[in-house]
Amino acid sequence: MPKHGKKYLAALAKVDRTRLYSPTEALRLVKETSYTKFDGTVEAHLRLGIDPRHADQNIRTTVSLPHGTGKTVRVLVFAQGEAVQAALDAGADYAGSDDLIARIDRENFFDFDVAIATPDMMGKVGRIGRKLGPRGLMPNPKSSTIVPAADLVRTIREVKGGRVEIRNDKTGILHVAIGKVSFTPQQLSENFVALMDAVKAAKPSGAKGTYIRSVTLTSTMGPGVPVDPVAAQNVKA
C-alpha cells in the first residue's frame, strides 16, 4: 500500500468514511480538505451500472458546465476555405486543413485539448485517426465535435466556455472535472447539477438495475468524499 503524507492524512481525518454526504456537504468538505498550494481541480467520479463490454451501454456525451472547469481549453479546428478564418475569429487556437494534418502526422503535434472538424474534412482527418484516436482527440459526432461550418463559431465558444465530453472508462466509471477549489460553493453546485442531469439523460436503454451506483467527489491529491447517490440525482442548484 502506498504511504500518504501528513497533510493527506490530516485531510482524510476530516472525512467520515462510514457515511454518505449530501452534495452540498461533500463540496464544502472537498474545498476544506484541499491542501495543495496550487488551485486544485474538483472532480466527480461516478460508478455506473453499465457493462462497458457492450457498445450500446457505453456513455459518451457532452455537458456544458455553467461556470466552466477553470481550465484554459486549447481548440484545434480542421476546416477549409472561409471557415478557417471564422474559426480563428471565434477563438480557435489553431485552424487549417492539409497543413495541420501534415503537422500532426509528421511532427506529432498534439498541443491542443479538443479537435473539431467540419464534415467535408473527415476524409482527410481519417488518415491521422490512428494518432488522434488513442489520445481521445478524434472528432466524433457523439462528442459533437463534427459540425457544419455554420455551427463552428457556436461550437468553439461552447467548448471554450465550459463544454466537456464525458465518457466511461473500461470499468464503467466516469471521471469528470467540475471546477476548481477556488470556485464558490454555488458555482461548484451548479456545475455538479449540470453533470448529473447530463449523466441521467445519457442512461443507456440496455442498462439494468441501479444506474448510478456511487458518487465520489475529490480535489487534486485530496481524499475522496462519498456522496449519497440518491441525493446526488435529486440535487438542485
Side-chain angles (χ1 to χ4, degrees):
M1 294 292 289
K3 292 184 179 180
H4 293 292
K6 293 181 179 179
K7 291 182 178 180
Y8 176 87
L9 294 176
L12 181 62
K14 297 179 181 180
V15 181
D16 184 353
R17 304 294 294 177
T18 65
R19 61 168 292 198
L20 295 174
Y21 291 86
S22 70
T24 301
E25 292 175 315
L27 288 170
R28 175 189 57 78
L29 198 51
V30 166
K31 286 172 64 69
E32 183 181 333
T33 55
S34 176
Y35 59 87
T36 57
K37 293 183 179 179
F38 58 86
D39 190 9
T41 298
V42 177
E43 301 172 353
H45 303 274
L46 285 68
R47 184 166 64 89
L48 305 179
I50 60 175
D51 188 344
R53 293 173 298 178
H54 299 287
D56 62 347
Q57 290 192 41
N58 281 275
I59 305 295
R60 186 170 187 180
T61 186
T62 60
V63 56
S64 291
L65 300 178
H67 304 286
T69 62
K71 176 185 176 183
T72 299
V73 180
R74 300 164 299 175
V75 176
L76 179 145
V77 176
F78 295 108
Q80 54 190 350
E82 295 180 355
V84 173
Q85 190 59 50
L88 293 172
D89 291 343
D93 298 270
Y94 311 96
S97 177
D98 298 291
D99 53 339
L100 282 182
I101 292 173
R103 187 176 179 187
I104 292 171
D105 192 27
R106 297 172 185 171
E107 302 175 21
N108 289 321
F109 171 72
F110 301 109
D111 192 22
F112 54 96
D113 304 297
V114 177
I116 300 171
T118 54
D120 59 332
M121 285 297 302
M122 288 309 297
K124 296 180 178 180
V125 175
R127 298 200 298 265
I128 54 172
R130 67 189 185 284
K131 292 192 173 184
L132 296 176
R135 294 173 172 82
L137 295 172
M138 186 69 179
N140 188 293
K142 291 185 178 180
S143 60
S144 301
T145 48
I146 299 178
V147 298
D151 293 335
L152 270 181
V153 171
R154 175 185 57 80
T155 302
I156 292 167
R157 289 175 178 170
E158 285 182 355
V159 172
K160 286 279 190 177
R163 195 186 81 179
V164 297
E165 181 182 1
I166 53 177
R167 60 189 301 182
N168 59 274
D169 64 15
K170 62 182 180 180
T171 64
I173 298 177
L174 294 176
H175 311 274
V176 186
I178 61 170
K180 293 288 187 178
V181 173
S182 61
F183 280 22
T184 67
Q186 182 71 12
Q187 289 175 318
L188 289 173
S189 177
E190 291 176 358
N191 279 359
F192 181 69
V193 169
L195 169 64
M196 295 306 300
D197 287 345
V199 173
K200 288 186 292 183
K203 180 181 179 180
S205 59
K208 305 298 182 182
T210 303
Y211 176 47
I212 300 178
R213 296 185 175 179
S214 70
V215 179
T216 302
L217 293 173
T218 185
S219 63
T220 305
M221 297 176 64
V225 179
V227 181
D228 182 342
V230 175
Q233 295 178 71
N234 296 324
V235 67
K236 301 297 181 183

